[in-house]
Amino acid sequence: MELGGKHNKALTLARDLKLFSHIPSPSRFNRRLHALFPLLLPLHYLLAQVWKNLHQAQAYALDTFPLPVCENIRAPRARRFPDKVYRGFIPREGVYFHGLKLHLLVDDGKFIHEVNLTPGSLHDLVSLLILPLDLPEGAEFYLDRGYESHLYEDLCREAQGIVPMVIRRRNSRRYVPWPQYLAMVGRRVVETVGSMLHASFPRRIHTVTQEGFVIKVLSFVLAHNLGLMVQKMLG
């Protein structure tokens, strides 16, 4: 978090502070990190279970954030993500990007409970079908317009006991004016978390492979959650 995910600077700092008896070379550290890749999501799940004992959340919010891997002009020559499926569109800004979408499920304590990455061209609603959504019964679930689906809302309400709070389009059959303000206020927490992550990201996440890019993004998410847990336990 402090060094923007740069392995060379982190290893140099660890060597100067003598944090470990043996500091591997950057290439060896990178190979070890890639070997741990299958354990990152299980570790994230375990941290979420520990957080539930520290904070009793009553509301959750889901949102999607674009993660460009290169400038638009370089998209046809992109090597890490060469396929057109990574070509996405940001409606609120009216611009295209080439990269991934980061899906975050955040509670009212700013803890990221679930995370996923999808190609940029996939619709936001796909994340609802991919994420497990392990939410407690009766929890409020705040969603943006891109997640509006009457079928899925009914399934969440009837099967899981979740209360969907969706920001709806004005032409929606279920549009009611007064709940819109509550939905907008409730989902501000996920926008705050997204801004915190983007602030910690370097200007360009430097990696050579797709797996390396995903590892760095998940590492930032884990560092964010660990920071919250430390603050909660010390506070």
Side-chain angles (χ1 to χ4, degrees), residues 2-22:
E2 299 297 332
L3 301 174
K6 299 184 184 301
H7 297 167
N8 291 339
K9 292 184 177 181
L11 293 172
T12 301
L13 180 62
R15 185 179 296 107
D16 294 340
L17 298 179
K18 299 180 180 180
L19 298 180
F20 307 100
S21 59
H22 172 68

Side-chain angles (χ1 to χ4, degrees), residues 97-113:
F97 74 99
H98 188 83
L100 301 176
K101 285 184 177 180
L102 176 64
H103 307 279
L104 300 177
L105 177 64
V106 180
D107 69 359
D108 49 19
K110 299 181 182 179
F111 188 89
I112 302 173
H113 281 261

Side-chain angles (χ1 to χ4, degrees), residues 41 62-69 81 83-89 97-104 115-131 147 210 213-214 217-218:
L41 286 180
L62 178 66
D63 203 358
T64 302
F65 302 93
L67 288 178
V69 298
F81 301 90
D83 300 327
K84 292 184 179 180
V85 70
Y86 297 104
R87 189 70 171 169
F89 182 72
F97 74 99
H98 188 83
L100 301 176
K101 285 184 177 180
L102 176 64
H103 307 279
L104 300 177
V115 59
N116 197 12
L117 290 164
T118 59
S121 64
L122 296 186
H123 195 275
D124 293 350
L125 192 59
V126 175
S127 63
L128 282 175
L129 305 176
I130 296 177
L131 294 174
Y147 299 99
Q210 295 184 9
F213 187 88
V214 174
V217 173
L218 293 181

Side-chain angles (χ1 to χ4, degrees), residues 150-164:
H150 297 171
L151 174 61
Y152 195 84
E153 293 172 27
D154 295 339
L155 289 175
C156 289
R157 188 178 291 107
E158 297 175 5
Q160 296 182 263
I162 303 173
V163 183

